[in-house]
Amino acid sequence: MKFLRLLLLLASGLLASTSAVAVAAPEVASTTASKKKAGPITRIDPTFWWVGMKNPKLQLLVYGPKISSSKVSLKYDGVTLDGIQKLESPNYLLVNLTINANAKPGKLPLEFDGERKIKYEYELRQRTTPYDKTKVQGVTSADFVYLLMPDRFANGDPKNDVIKGTMVNRVSRDSMYARHGGDIKGIEDHFGYLKELGVTAIWPTPIVENDMPKASYHGYALTDYYAVDPRYGTNEDYVSFVRNAHRNGLKVIHDVVLNHMGSKNYLYLDQPAKDWFHQWPTFTKGNYRDGTVNDPYASAEDRKLFNTTWFDTTMPDPAQENPLVATYLIQNFLWWVEYTGLDGYRIDTYPYSEPGFLMKWGKAIQDEYPQLGMFGETWVQAAEGVAQQAYWSRNAFPAVNGFKSNLNGVTDFMLYYAIQDALNKEPGWSEGISKIYYTLQSDWLYENPNRNVVFLDNHDLSRIFSVLGEDVSKQKMALTWLLTCRGIPQLYYGTEILMKNFSNPDGLVRADFPGGFPGDNVNKFTAAGRTAPEQEVFTLVSKLANYRKAHPALHSGKLMHYIPEDGVYTYFRYNDKGETIMVMMNANKQDKTVAGGRFAERLTGFTSATNVVSGATIPDLKTLRIPAQTAWVLELKR
């Protein structure tokens, strides 16, 4: 997320307030943790924990009126009270525990002796993820990720559209920045559609509570770290969602925000201490320049304006360099993995967090869950280049300014820029289709570039169909490249049915999926509801994605590419088992004839090929004539 995204976000707040029509719906009482009944102890974070964690330490943040005056005691075999710590606010108390290896699941009897005596049974559960192999499966290049916005994908339970007590208790589908009613059940109702498309992993934008007065649907201003937004469902619904996804051969990627929270979060409204947040006398706009972190000539002021400013006027910036804050955040993201069995984390605005904290957070998560998939949003500008993007992932160079990333992969913005150049600009030495070649040439900078997420568009960007001038041939080329390039391919919902628009403002690229909501005139979840071009593109994605799933050379094999010639880019995916797939991309407006002899290094031993999409046979590989603006995927035959 960069400066443009901030401007759009600010604009979205203004636009949301102009919503004209609200759709009435029944109200349901909120069950989120932050709205539990008032009492001596309002809440404890984490809400529960487990025995058997590799790190035996547990920091409980106890919240309640004047709780800091309490002395704490407990008697429980295998659990040691290491001490308590008061904070500036009298309404918080930290209780530090050690959960020893011999501790058993049960109710931990915490006794608070202060202005009144309070007994609180804190639950310790049995850890299951190390033994249940259906949980925390990880995310790899064998996956095909489908990114969706829960509020805009499908409404499976209209009864949770309006929740009593939330700041915005209405749905207004005619307003791009209001809630539209989509939910977890709506996603689950369309598992069949996703499987038909060839998807193996679902990435919903944040599902945690975002009870903000404006534009809350996007989820990136969380107001409760431990609760699913009730308009999407309950915590238990989400656990069930992950379990049912696994039963259907689908993984779940949890979208997390480390860098900021919503200003209506209880932690900000009643701050534990001033040093839990970066404080400014007035809102101070950041510079949004991640290059300041590793720039050898950067000023301290520029670095400060990148790392410690608020991302937006309603998004406070936690002081992650504070070890108490760091522990709170680390425990929360361990909690979600153990509680739900989710398979991966996508980390929003990854570079904006404090660098030392990022290393500490990454190590803590990977120590407990080494198989967990993790990739970060690194919206690096094209001018910054591949090296800047690689800096934020595991890479081939030493630490810079004390930071050495332990993040497995990143969202590959460099390839995102490259595919647009390839299809929209004339071929040249390093322009047009050659941009892909030179971008991939820099893969030596990464520890493993196959862990990067490759994409054509997302919820912050103009839809690729519009970027390509609504040219179906170009759209098919882009999708063919997406599903055959190295890395983890990610598709944004609706790209497969030619959904379009530019991200100015961003709400335009977050339209409802047609057919996902009661009363929709068309249903594009079915072939009958799609136009001929939409069905053509859907079929292409489905065929290629399912083929990719069944052929390891395409999703996990080696990559060899050739310098583009005459506007044609050719590359091969292959493995040691003899499987080889040839991909040719002709970006020209004319058909091109290509001599196969140039590719003898990879074609030797093969005499023919089958076009994976059309099924046509190519009997002779010596000369190949590829139509204009076409991408071929050819399975080579001996």
Side-chain angles (χ1 to χ4, degrees):
M1 289 197 259
K2 288 290 182 180
F3 182 54
L4 175 59
R5 181 171 173 183
L6 179 77
L7 291 177
L8 296 176
L9 187 57
L10 291 171
S12 73
L14 296 174
L15 286 168
S17 65
T18 65
S19 171
V21 180
V23 179
E27 293 189 343
V28 179
S30 172
T31 58
T32 61
S34 63
K35 297 176 179 62
K36 288 180 179 178
K37 63 180 182 178
I41 293 179
T42 306
R43 62 184 290 163
I44 295 180
D45 292 344
T47 53
F48 51 82
W49 202 247
W50 295 267
V51 298
M53 300 293 280
K54 292 179 182 178
N55 182 357
K57 299 297 183 180
L58 177 61
Q59 172 187 286
L60 299 180
L61 182 65
V62 184
Y63 181 53
K66 299 182 180 180
I67 195 66
S68 68
S69 64
S70 300
K71 295 180 180 179
V72 181
S73 61
L74 71 87
K75 292 182 180 179
Y76 193 90
D77 289 344
V79 178
T80 304
L81 174 62
D82 296 330
I84 62 175
Q85 184 174 347
K86 295 182 180 182
L87 301 171
E88 288 178 11
S89 170
N91 300 328
Y92 290 91
L93 185 67
L94 288 174
V95 178
N96 297 308
L97 305 175
T98 297
I99 314 296
N100 297 297
N102 64 328
K104 303 296 182 184
K107 302 291 186 179
L108 187 66
L110 293 170
E111 296 191 5
F112 298 83
D113 189 356
E115 292 188 2
R116 56 187 300 183
K117 292 186 177 181
I118 305 166
K119 292 184 178 181
Y120 190 101
E121 291 189 333
Y122 185 81
E123 184 179 8
L124 289 178
R125 298 184 176 185
Q126 178 61 55
R127 191 179 184 193
T128 60
T129 55
Y131 321 107
D132 187 344
K133 299 306 178 184
T134 67
K135 296 181 176 181
V136 199
Q137 298 174 31
V139 180
T140 71
S141 61
D143 287 306
F144 177 32
V145 177
Y146 194 83
L147 164 61
L148 58 84
M149 303 196 78
D151 184 63
R152 304 299 166 87
F153 188 64
N155 188 344
D157 183 9
K159 290 184 294 184
N160 64 22
D161 288 357
V162 175
I163 301 295
K164 185 178 181 179
T166 55
M167 299 194 73
V168 180
N169 57 356
R170 68 181 186 277
V171 292
S172 304
R173 289 187 64 200
D174 63 340
S175 172
M176 70 177 73
Y177 289 104
R179 291 272 179 171
H180 289 194
D183 49 36
I184 292 171
K185 181 65 165 56
I187 305 171
E188 192 167 342
D189 287 346
H190 294 93
F191 280 171
Y193 172 84
L194 298 175
K195 291 167 66 177
E196 180 187 2
L197 194 59
V199 169
T200 66
I202 307 166
W203 160 18
T205 50
I207 56 85
V208 293
E209 182 192 272
N210 192 323
D211 192 13
M212 296 290 288
K214 296 180 181 179
S216 69
Y217 73 94
H218 59 67
Y220 290 99
L222 65 95
T223 53
D224 192 327
Y225 280 96
Y226 285 92
V228 168
D229 194 292
R231 289 158 290 197
Y232 293 154
T234 65
N235 281 20
E236 292 73 23
D237 290 336
Y238 187 52
V239 172
S240 177
F241 169 79
V242 175
R243 181 174 59 247
N244 290 336
H246 289 163
R247 289 172 178 170
N248 279 273
L250 297 166
K251 300 176 182 179
V252 176
I253 297 169
H254 190 81
D255 201 338
V256 302
V257 186
L258 292 180
N259 179 69
H260 48 266
M261 66 174 69
S263 56
K264 300 301 181 182
N265 193 304
Y266 90 99
L267 290 170
Y268 183 72
L269 293 174
D270 186 2
Q271 298 177 28
K274 289 182 179 179
D275 64 358
W276 277 52
F277 295 91
H278 291 133
Q279 308 282 351
W280 294 82
T282 60
F283 173 70
T284 302
K285 185 170 65 176
N287 55 30
Y288 315 106
R289 304 297 183 108
D290 68 291
T292 59
V293 177
N294 57 354
D295 180 357
Y297 312 112
S299 69
E301 180 67 12
D302 280 348
R303 286 197 179 114
K304 181 180 179 181
L305 286 172
F306 174 71
N307 270 133
T308 67
T309 48
W310 289 18
F311 195 78
D312 181 26
T313 56
T314 59
M315 293 179 173
D317 203 58
Q320 297 161 337
E321 65 276 11
N322 181 331
L324 303 180
V325 175
T327 298
Y328 181 91
L329 294 172
I330 289 168
Q331 288 182 166
N332 176 252
F333 296 110
L334 293 172
W335 185 90
W336 278 109
V337 181
E338 190 65 36
Y339 178 43
T340 66
L342 58 88
D343 304 291
Y345 273 149
R346 178 266 187 183
I347 304 102
D348 183 69
T349 51
Y350 181 78
Y352 287 75
S353 288
E354 197 276 322
F357 165 76
L358 287 177
M359 291 190 291
K360 184 177 181 180
W361 181 86
K363 183 179 186 305
I365 302 297
Q366 291 170 24
D367 282 350
E368 291 285 353
Y369 305 102
Q371 75 277 32
L372 183 74
M374 292 203 296
F375 60 94
E377 180 201 28
T378 51
W379 196 334
V380 175
Q381 298 302 299
E384 295 179 87
V386 177
Q388 184 62 22
Q389 181 171 275
Y391 176 73
W392 298 111
S393 71
R394 293 184 183 272
N395 54 55
F397 38 87
V400 179
N401 291 336
F403 179 72
K404 176 71 173 173
S405 179
N406 53 23
L407 186 65
N408 289 337
V410 295
T411 51
D412 205 327
F413 271 87
M414 292 300 118
L415 278 176
Y416 159 76
Y417 302 131
I419 187 60
Q420 292 186 33
D421 279 5
L423 299 180
N424 280 341
K425 294 184 178 180
E426 292 296 319
W429 184 270
S430 58
E431 300 82 25
I433 198 78
S434 296
K435 190 66 175 290
I436 299 176
Y437 175 87
Y438 283 107
T439 302
L440 288 170
Q441 176 268 330
S442 297
D443 271 1
W444 65 270
L445 291 163
Y446 301 102
E447 179 182 278
N448 184 353
N450 290 308
R451 295 191 295 235
N452 284 359
V453 172
V454 184
F455 61 99
L456 302 173
D457 50 14
N458 63 30
H459 57 293
D460 293 318
L461 302 168
S462 295
R463 285 191 174 271
I464 188 65
F465 191 46
S466 293
V467 172
L468 298 178
E470 299 185 23
D471 186 319
V472 174
S473 295
K474 288 185 177 181
Q475 182 89 347
K476 291 168 65 177
M477 286 186 71
L479 288 163
T480 300
W481 169 81
L482 177 73
L483 290 164
T484 56
C485 187
R486 65 96 176 113
I488 306 168
Q490 169 250 297
L491 189 76
Y492 184 40
Y493 79 99
T495 299
E496 73 277 14
I497 57 165
L498 301 178
M499 288 179 69
K500 61 186 179 181
N501 236 317
F502 293 95
S503 57
N504 188 18
D506 54 13
L508 293 173
V509 300
R510 301 171 180 180
D512 297 344
F513 193 107
F517 296 79
D520 282 357
N521 294 326
V522 295
N523 181 8
K524 296 189 183 296
F525 285 111
T526 67
R530 301 176 200 130
T531 65
E534 291 168 354
Q535 184 60 36
E536 182 182 358
V537 173
F538 177 91
T539 299
L540 172 73
V541 174
S542 177
K543 186 167 288 188
L544 274 180
N546 282 290
Y547 179 87
R548 182 182 188 275
K549 190 189 306 183
H551 291 79
L554 197 51
H555 62 65
S556 304
K558 300 174 184 177
L559 168 67
M560 180 181 290
H561 65 171
Y562 288 76
I563 298 170
E565 283 190 355
D566 200 17
V568 178
Y569 177 48
T570 302
Y571 56 99
F572 294 82
R573 303 301 307 273
Y574 61 102
N575 58 25
D576 295 335
K577 296 181 180 180
E579 186 180 28
T580 299
I581 295 156
M582 180 181 188
V583 183
M584 301 182 73
M585 296 178 65
N586 178 11
N588 298 284
K589 296 178 182 179
Q590 309 85 27
D591 297 357
K592 290 292 177 179
T593 299
V594 179
R598 183 181 177 221
F599 314 119
E601 186 176 357
R602 292 263 56 89
L603 290 180
T604 298
F606 297 102
T607 59
S608 64
T610 299
N611 188 310
V612 170
V613 176
S614 69
T617 297
I618 298 177
D620 186 359
L621 301 177
K622 294 178 182 178
T623 302
L624 300 153
R625 187 163 181 81
I626 181 169
Q629 294 185 331
T630 297
W632 276 353
V633 181
L634 306 176
E635 182 179 331
L636 301 186
K637 304 291 185 180
R638 297 186 184 277

